[in-house]
Amino acid sequence: MRKLVYYVATTLDGYIAAEDGSFDGFIFEGDHMAGINAEYPETVPTQFREAAGLLDAPIRHFDTVLMGRHTYQVPGGLASPYAHLRQFVVSTKVTDTPDDVEVIRSDVAGRVAALKEEDGLDIWLCGGGKLAAELLPLIDKMLIKIHPVVFGRGIPLFDGKADITKFQRTDARLFESGVSFMTYERR
């Protein structure tokens, strides 16, 4: 069975984006970029894969990406941000997507549970916080890039009611840039 993996960057105070949905306060230069991109090349948007030297990089961990509406519709965003993956957007408001982006409008947990039963690589939960809170019972693993910045307020890692759920840290990588890359698996 495939795993649902919440792979996301966060601040020290637990925000995945600023209040306006922007994430330009994160650190985009440093040794963590090459290190993480080498392990998870499929998480680089299609438009930037060539510039990052990842155009021919193999799909290693995820063949499917799941995004909330705000993650999909970031300002200046792309209509098909991960064309090299199977793409899903969870939204009741998104209406105009290219053919390679499927919109999930209802029974999100049921649809994601069905995706987990399919053959293939893991499913990348790309964001956002509301969707992560809704899908917490289905999240098997978290890959969290903790940036050494504080936003003070913004979109939280889990935005909504969620039951206490315990995870166990299974890996930790520390980079000179100050970014920590933490892996947690459901207990």
Side-chain angles (χ1 to χ4, degrees):
M1 181 163 87
R2 304 190 318 160
K3 291 181 179 177
L4 178 62
V5 180
Y6 190 21
Y7 170 69
V8 67
T10 186
T11 62
L12 290 172
D13 53 346
Y15 295 108
I16 61 173
E19 286 181 298
D20 65 359
S22 66
F23 45 86
D24 54 353
F26 287 111
I27 300 168
F28 290 101
E29 294 180 2
D31 60 328
H32 67 283
M33 294 297 292
I36 295 170
N37 288 348
E39 181 63 24
Y40 297 93
E42 62 270 31
T43 63
V44 175
T46 304
Q47 178 181 1
F48 304 114
R49 286 173 60 83
E50 184 172 8
L54 299 170
L55 188 60
D56 296 324
I59 303 297
R60 299 184 61 180
H61 300 278
F62 309 114
D63 60 9
T64 304
V65 61
L66 183 64
M67 301 168 273
R69 178 176 66 90
H70 293 291
T71 300
Y72 176 68
Q73 292 182 325
V74 294
L78 308 169
S80 181
Y82 301 100
H84 55 285
L85 302 175
R86 187 174 171 200
Q87 302 173 91
F88 292 90
V89 177
V90 175
S91 176
T92 57
K93 297 180 181 177
V94 172
T95 57
D96 189 25
T97 61
D99 291 342
D100 66 340
V101 177
E102 183 179 328
V103 180
I104 300 173
R105 299 187 189 289
S106 62
D107 189 21
V108 178
R111 183 69 171 108
V112 172
L115 285 171
K116 288 177 69 170
E117 293 294 327
E118 294 178 1
D119 289 333
L121 299 176
D122 289 339
I123 302 160
W124 170 27
L125 173 55
C126 181
K130 285 184 183 4
L131 181 58
E134 181 179 350
L135 293 176
L136 180 57
L138 295 172
I139 294 174
D140 302 292
K141 184 176 183 178
M142 293 192 295
L143 303 172
I144 309 293
K145 297 176 284 188
I146 304 170
H147 288 244
V149 298
V150 173
F151 283 4
R153 58 186 166 273
I155 299 170
L157 190 61
F158 291 93
D159 188 5
K161 184 175 179 342
D163 292 330
I164 294 173
T165 305
K166 294 188 178 188
F167 287 81
Q168 178 178 348
R169 189 190 73 220
T170 56
D171 194 27
R173 289 181 65 189
L174 307 177
F175 294 94
E176 291 297 319
S177 64
V179 172
S180 303
F181 188 74
M182 311 300 284
T183 303
Y184 298 93
E185 304 229 17
R186 180 178 290 276
R187 279 192 179 174

